[in-house]
DNA sequence: TACAAAACAGTCCGATCGGACGGTATGTCG
DNA sequence: CGACATACCGTCCGATCGGACTGTTTTGTA
Protein backbone atom coordinates (compact mmCIF):
# COMPACT_ATOMS: atom_id res chain seq x y z
CA UNK A 1 0.00 0.00 0.00
CA UNK A 2 1.27 3.44 -0.91
CA UNK A 3 -0.83 5.11 1.76
CA UNK A 4 0.76 4.18 5.06
CA UNK A 5 -1.10 6.70 7.19
CA UNK A 6 -4.38 8.41 6.53
CA UNK A 7 -6.64 10.25 8.85
CA UNK A 8 -10.20 9.06 9.18
CA UNK A 9 -11.47 12.06 7.30
CA UNK A 10 -9.18 11.27 4.41
CA UNK A 11 -10.20 7.65 4.31
CA UNK A 12 -13.84 8.50 4.51
CA UNK A 13 -13.69 11.25 1.92
CA UNK A 14 -11.72 9.07 -0.46
CA UNK A 15 -14.17 6.19 -0.25
CA UNK A 16 -17.10 8.53 -0.55
CA UNK A 17 -15.60 10.06 -3.66
CA UNK A 18 -15.00 6.62 -5.14
CA UNK A 19 -18.60 5.70 -4.47
CA UNK A 20 -19.97 8.88 -6.00
CA UNK A 21 -17.75 8.49 -9.04
CA UNK A 22 -18.83 4.90 -9.47
CA UNK A 23 -22.47 5.83 -9.16
CA UNK A 24 -21.98 8.63 -11.65
CA UNK A 25 -20.40 6.21 -14.11
CA UNK A 26 -23.20 3.70 -13.62
CA UNK A 27 -25.75 6.44 -14.18
CA UNK A 28 -23.98 7.45 -17.34
CA UNK A 29 -23.76 4.10 -19.03
CA UNK A 30 -26.65 2.22 -17.53
CA UNK A 31 -29.23 4.82 -16.59
CA UNK A 32 -31.01 5.36 -13.31
CA UNK A 33 -32.58 1.93 -13.03
CA UNK A 34 -29.28 0.15 -13.64
CA UNK A 35 -27.54 2.16 -10.96
CA UNK A 36 -28.12 -0.49 -8.33
CA UNK A 37 -26.31 -0.83 -5.04
CA UNK A 38 -24.59 -3.94 -6.32
CA UNK A 39 -23.35 -2.31 -9.52
CA UNK A 40 -22.03 0.74 -7.71
CA UNK A 41 -20.46 -1.35 -5.00
CA UNK A 42 -18.68 -3.54 -7.49
CA UNK A 43 -17.53 -0.65 -9.63
CA UNK A 44 -16.15 1.19 -6.63
CA UNK A 45 -14.39 -1.94 -5.38
CA UNK A 46 -16.09 -1.72 -2.02
CA UNK A 47 -18.18 -4.03 0.10
CA UNK A 48 -21.91 -3.74 0.44
CA UNK A 49 -21.77 -2.57 4.01
CA UNK A 50 -19.35 0.20 3.13
CA UNK A 51 -21.71 1.67 0.63
CA UNK A 52 -24.63 1.59 3.01
CA UNK A 53 -22.43 3.06 5.71
CA UNK A 54 -21.76 6.19 3.69
CA UNK A 55 -25.15 6.34 2.02
CA UNK A 56 -27.87 4.66 4.08
CA UNK A 57 -30.28 4.41 1.14
CA UNK A 58 -30.10 4.34 -2.59
CA UNK A 59 -31.75 7.74 -2.79
CA UNK A 60 -29.09 9.16 -0.48
CA UNK A 61 -26.48 7.92 -2.90
CA UNK A 62 -28.26 9.61 -5.76
CA UNK A 63 -28.37 12.84 -3.81
CA UNK A 64 -24.65 12.50 -3.29
CA UNK A 65 -24.14 12.24 -7.03
CA UNK A 66 -26.45 15.18 -7.53
CA UNK A 67 -24.43 17.35 -5.17
CA UNK A 68 -21.25 16.33 -6.90
CA UNK A 69 -22.59 17.19 -10.33
CA UNK A 70 -24.01 20.49 -9.16
CA UNK A 71 -20.74 21.34 -7.49
CA UNK A 72 -18.76 20.65 -10.61
CA UNK A 73 -21.07 22.65 -12.85
CA UNK A 74 -20.97 25.55 -10.43
CA UNK A 75 -17.18 25.36 -10.35
CA UNK A 76 -17.03 25.59 -14.12
CA UNK A 77 -19.22 28.64 -14.03
CA UNK A 78 -17.15 30.25 -11.34
CA UNK A 79 -14.04 29.73 -13.44
CA UNK A 80 -15.61 31.42 -16.45
CA UNK A 81 -14.23 34.88 -17.14
CA UNK A 82 -16.58 37.44 -15.73
CA UNK A 83 -17.76 40.36 -17.78
CA UNK A 84 -14.91 41.92 -19.64
CA UNK A 85 -16.95 45.10 -19.71
CA UNK A 86 -16.50 45.03 -23.45
CA UNK A 87 -19.34 44.59 -25.91
CA UNK A 88 -21.69 41.75 -25.10
CA UNK A 89 -19.84 38.56 -25.83
CA UNK A 90 -22.62 36.36 -27.13
CA UNK A 91 -20.25 33.80 -28.54
CA UNK A 92 -18.78 33.19 -25.12
CA UNK A 93 -22.29 32.72 -23.75
CA UNK A 94 -23.16 30.13 -26.34
CA UNK A 95 -19.85 28.35 -25.81
CA UNK A 96 -20.28 28.23 -22.07
CA UNK A 97 -23.78 26.80 -22.19
CA UNK A 98 -23.16 24.47 -25.08
CA UNK A 99 -20.03 22.99 -23.54
CA UNK A 100 -21.92 22.36 -20.34
CA UNK A 101 -24.74 20.66 -22.17
CA UNK A 102 -22.39 18.35 -23.99
CA UNK A 103 -20.58 17.24 -20.87
CA UNK A 104 -21.36 13.83 -19.39
CA UNK A 105 -22.69 15.64 -16.37
CA UNK A 106 -25.69 16.71 -18.38
CA UNK A 107 -26.60 13.16 -19.33
CA UNK A 108 -26.30 12.02 -15.75
CA UNK A 109 -28.28 15.00 -14.52
CA UNK A 110 -30.96 14.23 -17.08
CA UNK A 111 -31.30 10.72 -15.67
CA UNK A 112 -31.79 12.09 -12.19
CA UNK A 113 -34.10 14.76 -13.50
CA UNK A 114 -36.44 12.39 -15.27
CA UNK A 115 -36.36 9.99 -12.34
CA UNK A 116 -37.25 12.86 -10.04
CA UNK A 117 -40.44 13.52 -11.94
CA UNK A 118 -41.96 10.42 -10.41
CA UNK A 119 -39.92 10.11 -7.22
CA UNK A 120 -41.12 12.49 -4.54
CA UNK A 121 -38.06 12.24 -2.32
CA UNK A 122 -35.66 12.80 -5.16
CA UNK A 123 -37.69 15.69 -6.49
CA UNK A 124 -37.84 17.37 -3.12
CA UNK A 125 -34.06 17.43 -3.07
CA UNK A 126 -33.60 18.23 -6.71
CA UNK A 127 -35.84 21.26 -7.04
CA UNK A 128 -33.81 23.55 -4.76
CA UNK A 129 -30.57 22.46 -6.40
CA UNK A 130 -32.07 23.13 -9.78
CA UNK A 131 -33.16 26.60 -8.80
CA UNK A 132 -29.79 27.41 -7.33
CA UNK A 133 -28.11 26.09 -10.44
CA UNK A 134 -30.40 27.97 -12.79
CA UNK A 135 -29.90 31.14 -10.81
CA UNK A 136 -26.14 30.83 -10.83
CA UNK A 137 -25.99 29.96 -14.50
CA UNK A 138 -28.15 32.91 -15.28
CA UNK A 139 -26.14 35.26 -13.12
CA UNK A 140 -22.80 33.99 -14.33
CA UNK A 141 -23.80 34.12 -17.93
CA UNK A 142 -25.35 37.51 -17.57
CA UNK A 143 -22.11 38.74 -16.08
CA UNK A 144 -20.45 37.55 -19.24
CA UNK A 145 -22.69 39.65 -21.37
CA UNK A 146 -23.39 42.64 -19.21
CA UNK A 147 -26.73 43.64 -17.83
CA UNK A 148 -27.05 47.16 -19.03
CA UNK A 149 -29.82 46.10 -21.38
CA UNK A 150 -33.08 44.83 -19.87
CA UNK A 151 -33.43 42.44 -22.79
CA UNK A 152 -30.32 40.53 -21.78
CA UNK A 153 -32.02 38.13 -19.34
CA UNK A 154 -34.55 37.16 -21.97
CA UNK A 155 -31.89 36.50 -24.58
CA UNK A 156 -29.89 34.48 -22.08
CA UNK A 157 -32.94 32.37 -21.34
CA UNK A 158 -33.64 31.98 -25.04
CA UNK A 159 -30.13 30.67 -25.52
CA UNK A 160 -30.22 28.27 -22.61
CA UNK A 161 -33.56 26.83 -23.61
CA UNK A 162 -32.77 26.59 -27.30
CA UNK A 163 -29.46 24.88 -26.73
CA UNK A 164 -30.99 22.54 -24.16
CA UNK A 165 -33.67 21.49 -26.60
CA UNK A 166 -31.10 21.04 -29.30
CA UNK A 167 -29.00 18.87 -27.05
CA UNK A 168 -31.97 16.75 -26.03
CA UNK A 169 -32.86 16.09 -29.64
CA UNK A 170 -29.34 14.83 -30.22
CA UNK A 171 -29.29 12.63 -27.17
CA UNK A 172 -29.88 9.32 -28.89
CA UNK A 173 -28.10 10.07 -32.08
CA UNK A 174 -26.17 13.13 -33.14
CA UNK A 175 -28.54 15.19 -35.21
CA UNK A 176 -26.88 16.17 -38.44
CA UNK A 177 -28.18 19.72 -38.42
CA UNK A 178 -27.37 20.60 -34.85
CA UNK A 179 -24.01 22.33 -35.37
CA UNK A 180 -25.57 24.48 -38.07
CA UNK A 181 -28.41 25.45 -35.76
CA UNK A 182 -26.02 26.46 -33.02
CA UNK A 183 -23.98 28.44 -35.50
CA UNK A 184 -27.04 30.23 -36.79
CA UNK A 185 -28.20 31.01 -33.29
CA UNK A 186 -24.83 32.62 -32.72
CA UNK A 187 -25.61 34.96 -35.56
CA UNK A 188 -29.21 35.49 -34.53
CA UNK A 189 -28.33 36.66 -31.05
CA UNK A 190 -26.75 40.01 -31.92
CA UNK A 191 -29.63 40.69 -34.27
CA UNK A 192 -32.12 40.28 -31.47
CA UNK A 193 -29.93 42.25 -29.12
CA UNK A 194 -30.00 45.12 -31.56
CA UNK A 195 -33.70 44.86 -32.32
CA UNK A 196 -35.42 47.93 -30.97
CA UNK A 197 -38.91 46.62 -30.25
CA UNK A 198 -38.25 43.36 -28.46
CA UNK A 199 -39.53 43.64 -24.93
CA UNK B 1 -72.03 -7.57 -20.86
CA UNK B 2 -72.97 -4.98 -23.42
CA UNK B 3 -70.87 -6.63 -26.08
CA UNK B 4 -72.76 -9.71 -27.12
CA UNK B 5 -70.73 -10.55 -30.17
CA UNK B 6 -67.27 -9.49 -31.10
CA UNK B 7 -64.95 -10.88 -33.66
CA UNK B 8 -61.56 -12.10 -32.56
CA UNK B 9 -59.89 -9.10 -34.10
CA UNK B 10 -62.11 -6.76 -32.18
CA UNK B 11 -61.53 -8.51 -28.91
CA UNK B 12 -57.83 -8.66 -29.48
CA UNK B 13 -57.55 -5.05 -30.51
CA UNK B 14 -59.57 -3.94 -27.53
CA UNK B 15 -57.39 -5.80 -25.07
CA UNK B 16 -54.28 -4.56 -26.77
CA UNK B 17 -55.51 -1.01 -26.53
CA UNK B 18 -56.33 -1.44 -22.86
CA UNK B 19 -52.83 -2.77 -22.26
CA UNK B 20 -51.18 0.06 -24.12
CA UNK B 21 -53.28 2.62 -22.31
CA UNK B 22 -52.45 1.07 -18.97
CA UNK B 23 -48.75 1.01 -19.79
CA UNK B 24 -48.96 4.62 -20.89
CA UNK B 25 -50.60 5.58 -17.62
CA UNK B 26 -47.99 3.69 -15.62
CA UNK B 27 -45.23 5.37 -17.58
CA UNK B 28 -46.82 8.71 -16.87
CA UNK B 29 -47.20 8.47 -13.16
CA UNK B 30 -44.51 6.01 -12.21
CA UNK B 31 -41.80 6.36 -14.81
CA UNK B 32 -40.10 3.73 -16.90
CA UNK B 33 -38.81 1.60 -14.04
CA UNK B 34 -42.19 1.44 -12.34
CA UNK B 35 -43.90 0.29 -15.51
CA UNK B 36 -43.65 -3.36 -14.56
CA UNK B 37 -45.62 -6.21 -16.05
CA UNK B 38 -47.50 -6.58 -12.78
CA UNK B 39 -48.48 -2.94 -12.59
CA UNK B 40 -49.66 -2.81 -16.18
CA UNK B 41 -51.49 -6.09 -15.87
CA UNK B 42 -53.31 -4.95 -12.75
CA UNK B 43 -54.15 -1.55 -14.17
CA UNK B 44 -55.54 -3.06 -17.35
CA UNK B 45 -57.57 -5.61 -15.39
CA UNK B 46 -56.02 -8.48 -17.26
CA UNK B 47 -54.21 -11.64 -16.29
CA UNK B 48 -50.48 -12.10 -16.59
CA UNK B 49 -50.69 -14.54 -19.44
CA UNK B 50 -52.86 -12.20 -21.46
CA UNK B 51 -50.27 -9.46 -21.29
CA UNK B 52 -47.47 -11.76 -22.36
CA UNK B 53 -49.66 -13.14 -25.08
CA UNK B 54 -50.02 -9.76 -26.71
CA UNK B 55 -46.54 -8.51 -25.86
CA UNK B 56 -44.03 -11.31 -25.41
CA UNK B 57 -41.53 -9.11 -23.56
CA UNK B 58 -41.54 -5.93 -21.58
CA UNK B 59 -39.65 -4.14 -24.33
CA UNK B 60 -42.29 -5.19 -26.83
CA UNK B 61 -44.88 -3.57 -24.62
CA UNK B 62 -42.86 -0.38 -24.52
CA UNK B 63 -42.58 -0.39 -28.28
CA UNK B 64 -46.34 -0.74 -28.42
CA UNK B 65 -46.71 2.35 -26.27
CA UNK B 66 -44.19 4.15 -28.43
CA UNK B 67 -46.13 3.40 -31.58
CA UNK B 68 -49.30 4.58 -29.92
CA UNK B 69 -47.76 7.86 -28.83
CA UNK B 70 -46.15 8.46 -32.19
CA UNK B 71 -49.43 7.72 -33.92
CA UNK B 72 -51.33 10.17 -31.76
CA UNK B 73 -48.80 12.94 -32.22
CA UNK B 74 -48.79 12.39 -35.96
CA UNK B 75 -52.58 12.50 -35.98
CA UNK B 76 -52.56 15.85 -34.21
CA UNK B 77 -50.16 17.21 -36.77
CA UNK B 78 -52.23 15.87 -39.64
CA UNK B 79 -55.28 17.62 -38.21
CA UNK B 80 -53.47 20.94 -38.05
CA UNK B 81 -54.60 23.42 -40.68
CA UNK B 82 -52.15 23.36 -43.54
CA UNK B 83 -50.68 26.55 -44.90
CA UNK B 84 -53.36 29.15 -45.41
CA UNK B 85 -51.08 30.73 -47.98
CA UNK B 86 -51.38 33.90 -45.98
CA UNK B 87 -48.47 35.57 -44.26
CA UNK B 88 -46.35 33.27 -42.15
CA UNK B 89 -48.43 32.38 -39.11
CA UNK B 90 -45.75 32.17 -36.47
CA UNK B 91 -48.25 32.21 -33.64
CA UNK B 92 -49.88 29.05 -34.94
CA UNK B 93 -46.48 27.42 -35.14
CA UNK B 94 -45.69 28.23 -31.54
CA UNK B 95 -49.13 27.06 -30.43
CA UNK B 96 -48.87 23.77 -32.24
CA UNK B 97 -45.46 22.91 -30.85
CA UNK B 98 -46.13 24.22 -27.37
CA UNK B 99 -49.41 22.34 -27.02
CA UNK B 100 -47.70 19.15 -28.09
CA UNK B 101 -44.92 19.64 -25.58
CA UNK B 102 -47.36 20.16 -22.74
CA UNK B 103 -49.37 17.06 -23.49
CA UNK B 104 -48.90 13.97 -21.34
CA UNK B 105 -47.57 12.22 -24.42
CA UNK B 106 -44.43 14.29 -24.15
CA UNK B 107 -43.71 13.21 -20.61
CA UNK B 108 -44.24 9.58 -21.50
CA UNK B 109 -42.11 9.94 -24.60
CA UNK B 110 -39.40 11.54 -22.51
CA UNK B 111 -39.35 8.50 -20.24
CA UNK B 112 -38.90 6.19 -23.21
CA UNK B 113 -36.38 8.54 -24.71
CA UNK B 114 -34.14 8.68 -21.69
CA UNK B 115 -34.48 4.95 -21.16
CA UNK B 116 -33.50 4.38 -24.76
CA UNK B 117 -30.18 6.13 -24.23
CA UNK B 118 -28.95 3.12 -22.31
CA UNK B 119 -31.14 0.37 -23.76
CA UNK B 120 -29.89 -0.78 -27.14
CA UNK B 121 -33.04 -2.59 -28.17
CA UNK B 122 -35.28 0.31 -27.29
CA UNK B 123 -33.02 2.79 -28.99
CA UNK B 124 -32.89 0.75 -32.17
CA UNK B 125 -36.66 1.00 -32.37
CA UNK B 126 -36.90 4.57 -31.20
CA UNK B 127 -34.44 6.26 -33.52
CA UNK B 128 -36.41 5.64 -36.74
CA UNK B 129 -39.64 6.70 -35.08
CA UNK B 130 -37.96 9.84 -33.83
CA UNK B 131 -36.68 10.70 -37.27
CA UNK B 132 -40.04 10.11 -38.84
CA UNK B 133 -41.67 12.22 -36.14
CA UNK B 134 -39.15 15.03 -36.47
CA UNK B 135 -39.51 15.01 -40.21
CA UNK B 136 -43.28 15.14 -40.06
CA UNK B 137 -43.33 17.84 -37.42
CA UNK B 138 -40.95 19.89 -39.46
CA UNK B 139 -42.86 19.39 -42.65
CA UNK B 140 -46.23 19.99 -41.09
CA UNK B 141 -45.09 23.07 -39.29
CA UNK B 142 -43.32 24.41 -42.31
CA UNK B 143 -46.52 24.00 -44.25
CA UNK B 144 -48.12 26.16 -41.64
CA UNK B 145 -45.66 28.94 -42.24
CA UNK B 146 -44.85 28.60 -45.89
CA UNK B 147 -41.50 27.70 -47.36
CA UNK B 148 -40.91 30.56 -49.69
CA UNK B 149 -38.16 31.85 -47.48
CA UNK B 150 -35.05 29.66 -47.07
CA UNK B 151 -34.76 30.89 -43.50
CA UNK B 152 -38.01 29.25 -42.49
CA UNK B 153 -36.58 25.79 -41.65
CA UNK B 154 -34.03 27.38 -39.37
CA UNK B 155 -36.62 29.43 -37.55
CA UNK B 156 -38.84 26.38 -37.19
CA UNK B 157 -35.97 24.44 -35.69
CA UNK B 158 -35.16 27.35 -33.40
CA UNK B 159 -38.73 27.33 -32.15
CA UNK B 160 -38.93 23.59 -31.62
CA UNK B 161 -35.64 23.47 -29.75
CA UNK B 162 -36.32 26.54 -27.67
CA UNK B 163 -39.76 25.38 -26.63
CA UNK B 164 -38.50 21.90 -25.91
CA UNK B 165 -35.80 23.24 -23.65
CA UNK B 166 -38.29 25.50 -21.95
CA UNK B 167 -40.62 22.59 -21.35
CA UNK B 168 -37.85 20.44 -19.97
CA UNK B 169 -36.87 23.12 -17.50
CA UNK B 170 -40.44 23.20 -16.27
CA UNK B 171 -40.77 19.46 -15.98
CA UNK B 172 -40.34 19.17 -12.23
CA UNK B 173 -41.93 22.41 -11.27
CA UNK B 174 -43.58 25.02 -13.41
CA UNK B 175 -40.99 27.66 -13.98
CA UNK B 176 -42.44 31.06 -13.20
CA UNK B 177 -40.90 32.79 -16.17
CA UNK B 178 -41.80 30.25 -18.83
CA UNK B 179 -45.02 31.83 -20.15
CA UNK B 180 -43.20 35.14 -20.51
CA UNK B 181 -40.40 33.48 -22.44
CA UNK B 182 -42.83 31.81 -24.81
CA UNK B 183 -44.63 35.10 -25.29
CA UNK B 184 -41.40 36.92 -26.03
CA UNK B 185 -40.32 34.27 -28.48
CA UNK B 186 -43.59 34.83 -30.27
CA UNK B 187 -42.55 38.42 -30.74
CA UNK B 188 -38.96 37.59 -31.59
CA UNK B 189 -39.88 35.27 -34.45
CA UNK B 190 -41.20 37.85 -36.90
CA UNK B 191 -38.21 40.03 -36.13
CA UNK B 192 -35.85 37.24 -37.15
CA UNK B 193 -37.98 36.41 -40.15
CA UNK B 194 -37.63 39.99 -41.29
CA UNK B 195 -33.93 40.27 -40.54
CA UNK B 196 -32.06 40.57 -43.80
CA UNK B 197 -28.70 39.06 -42.91
CA UNK B 198 -29.64 35.90 -41.08
CA UNK B 199 -28.43 32.98 -43.13
C1' DT C 1 -72.18 -29.91 -34.24
C1' DA C 2 -67.20 -31.20 -33.96
C1' DC C 3 -62.81 -29.22 -33.84
C1' DA C 4 -58.49 -26.31 -34.46
C1' DA C 5 -56.83 -21.86 -33.30
C1' DA C 6 -56.49 -18.00 -30.76
C1' DA C 7 -57.52 -15.25 -26.57
C1' DC C 8 -57.36 -15.59 -21.80
C1' DA C 9 -56.14 -17.10 -17.04
C1' DG C 10 -53.23 -18.29 -13.12
C1' DT C 11 -49.18 -20.45 -11.05
C1' DC C 12 -44.40 -21.07 -10.63
C1' DC C 13 -39.32 -20.03 -10.87
C1' DG C 14 -34.55 -18.21 -10.96
C1' DA C 15 -32.45 -13.83 -10.54
C1' DT C 16 -31.92 -9.65 -8.40
C1' DC C 17 -33.32 -5.83 -5.96
C1' DG C 18 -32.75 -2.57 -1.55
C1' DG C 19 -31.59 -2.75 2.79
C1' DA C 20 -30.75 -4.94 7.77
C1' DC C 21 -27.40 -6.83 10.58
C1' DG C 22 -23.23 -8.45 13.31
C1' DG C 23 -18.49 -8.66 13.10
C1' DT C 24 -13.64 -6.79 12.12
C1' DA C 25 -9.97 -3.49 11.28
C1' DT C 26 -8.21 1.15 11.87
C1' DG C 27 -7.63 5.51 13.30
C1' DT C 28 -8.55 8.85 17.77
C1' DC C 29 -8.11 10.40 22.34
C1' DG C 30 -7.89 10.18 27.66
C1' DC D 1 -1.63 1.87 26.31
C1' DG D 2 -6.46 0.85 26.63
C1' DA D 3 -11.33 2.47 25.64
C1' DC D 4 -13.86 4.25 22.22
C1' DA D 5 -15.60 5.76 17.72
C1' DT D 6 -15.72 5.24 13.15
C1' DA D 7 -14.64 3.12 8.62
C1' DC D 8 -15.04 -1.21 6.47
C1' DC D 9 -16.70 -5.86 5.41
C1' DG D 10 -19.69 -9.92 4.05
C1' DT D 11 -23.83 -12.52 4.70
C1' DC D 12 -28.70 -12.88 4.94
C1' DC D 13 -33.66 -11.77 4.02
C1' DG D 14 -38.26 -10.50 2.24
C1' DA D 15 -40.12 -8.52 -1.80
C1' DT D 16 -40.48 -8.22 -6.51
C1' DC D 17 -38.90 -8.49 -11.00
C1' DG D 18 -39.48 -10.61 -16.07
C1' DG D 19 -41.05 -14.29 -18.21
C1' DA D 20 -41.87 -19.60 -18.87
C1' DC D 21 -45.37 -22.77 -18.36
C1' DT D 22 -49.99 -25.46 -18.39
C1' DG D 23 -54.78 -25.35 -18.44
C1' DT D 24 -59.48 -23.08 -19.75
C1' DT D 25 -62.74 -20.39 -22.42
C1' DT D 26 -64.11 -18.20 -26.63
C1' DT D 27 -64.19 -17.79 -31.66
C1' DG D 28 -64.26 -18.95 -36.64
C1' DT D 29 -64.57 -22.98 -39.84
C1' DA D 30 -65.91 -27.59 -41.83
Amino acid sequence: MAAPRRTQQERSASTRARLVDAAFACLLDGGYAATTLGAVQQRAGVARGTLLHHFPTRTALMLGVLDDIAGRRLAVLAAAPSGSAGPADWDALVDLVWDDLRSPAFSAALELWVAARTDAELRAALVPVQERLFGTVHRSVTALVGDADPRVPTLVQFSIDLLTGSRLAGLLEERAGTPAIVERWRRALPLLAAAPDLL
Side-chain angles (χ1 to χ4, degrees), chain A:
Chain A
M1 287 301 181
R5 278 284 165 172
R6 286 199 302 174
T7 173
Q8 298 255 54
Q9 276 192 8
E10 285 170 343
R11 290 205 315 158
S12 181
S14 155
T15 309
R16 239 186 106 98
R18 277 229 312 284
L19 285 171
V20 168
D21 285 350
F24 178 79
C26 284
L27 218 45
L28 209 59
D29 66 41
Y32 185 82
T35 306
T36 66
L37 298 187
V40 172
Q41 167 210 204
Q42 192 171 348
R43 189 159 212 151
V46 150
R48 182 55 146 266
T50 305
L51 202 170
L52 291 179
H53 170 71
H54 288 276
F55 302 97
T57 70
R58 192 174 99 113
T59 301
L61 174 61
M62 297 300 181
L63 297 187
V65 176
L66 174 65
D67 274 346
D68 188 57
I69 293 177
R72 259 185 291 168
R73 292 176 80 173
L74 286 175
V76 168
L77 291 177
S82 63
S84 50
D89 191 351
W90 296 107
D91 271 347
L93 156 69
V94 171
D95 284 338
L96 188 62
V97 175
W98 189 238
D99 284 348
D100 180 47
L101 287 171
R102 296 205 303 172
S103 73
F106 174 74
S107 294
L110 184 61
E111 293 284 343
L112 293 176
W113 209 319
V114 171
R117 188 182 69 88
T118 52
D119 181 310
E121 190 179 354
L122 197 55
R123 186 174 61 237
L126 215 153
V127 165
V129 173
Q130 164 183 338
E131 284 176 1
R132 193 158 50 90
L133 204 56
F134 278 9
T136 303
V137 169
H138 215 283
R139 214 172 312 117
S140 169
V141 136
T142 302
L144 203 66
V145 168
D147 58 351
D149 196 315
R151 288 168 303 189
V152 162
T154 296
L155 293 181
V156 168
Q157 197 64 58
F158 276 178
S159 301
I160 293 175
D161 287 352
L162 187 144
L163 292 173
T164 301
S166 227
R167 180 74 190 98
L168 187 62
L171 188 72
L172 292 186
E173 152 190 85
E174 288 298 327
R175 208 172 43 168
T178 296
I181 287 294
V182 174
E183 203 49 45
R184 279 169 194 156
W185 179 247
R186 278 200 155 92
R187 280 201 285 270
L189 263 173
L191 290 182
L192 287 176
D197 48 352
L198 174 70
L199 178 62

